[in-house]
Amino acid sequence: MVYFLVGIAGALGAILRYWIGISLFKGASFPFSTLTINLIGSFLLAWFTTNLFKRVSLPPMITTAIGTGFVGSFTTFSTLSVETVQLFHDEKIVLAVLYVAISVIGGLIMSRLGFKCSEAVQKS
């Protein structure tokens, strides 16, 4: 059953990622869609694991479906990698380095923000 739930949640996360990708930042020379998605996903996973899953009693299968399925398919390291290689290939070295730096540092900041928001909610 957990595989089915992860698959369903994964499909929803992938659909949302695709929708955001085609709806925002069309034609941009910088991969803003993937960056935005990965930063949001970093925040969501931290917030879900430190707040939602502790405040709301959910079966482990559901938390796995949300964390691994939904957030896991919503975010995308492989697209980050391909887009970075493409920027290097197009000789946009500064953009490639900037993209990786913002993705990694921004992801850590967004995860920390998710933890901090979780702590604030738990205290209230």
Side-chain angles (χ1 to χ4, degrees), residues 1-120:
M1 184 63 162
V2 70
Y3 296 105
F4 175 75
L5 294 173
V6 168
I8 295 297
L12 294 172
I15 289 167
L16 182 59
R17 175 176 39 132
Y18 179 74
W19 179 79
I20 290 172
I22 63 172
S23 299
L24 302 176
F25 312 113
K26 278 189 171 180
S29 61
F30 188 82
F32 289 108
S33 292
T34 304
L35 179 62
T36 301
I37 288 164
N38 286 338
L39 294 177
I40 291 169
S42 294
F43 173 85
L44 286 176
L45 188 59
W47 188 78
F48 285 158
T49 58
T50 59
N51 182 44
L52 180 65
F53 297 160
K54 291 180 180 176
R55 295 186 94 192
V56 179
S57 180
L58 296 172
M61 287 190 304
I62 300 298
T63 61
T64 300
I66 293 170
T68 302
F70 180 77
V71 178
S73 69
F74 178 66
T75 58
T76 172
F77 184 78
S78 59
T79 302
L80 164 73
S81 300
V82 169
E83 289 169 343
T84 302
V85 170
Q86 186 63 51
L87 287 169
F88 277 116
H89 182 268
D90 294 343
E91 298 181 358
K92 297 177 180 178
I93 309 306
V94 173
L95 282 180
V97 171
L98 186 64
Y99 182 39
V100 171
I102 292 171
S103 294
V104 173
I105 295 167
L108 293 171
I109 290 169
M110 292 301 286
S111 291
R112 184 69 179 141
L113 183 61
F115 284 116
K116 286 292 188 184
C117 287
S118 173
E119 290 171 359

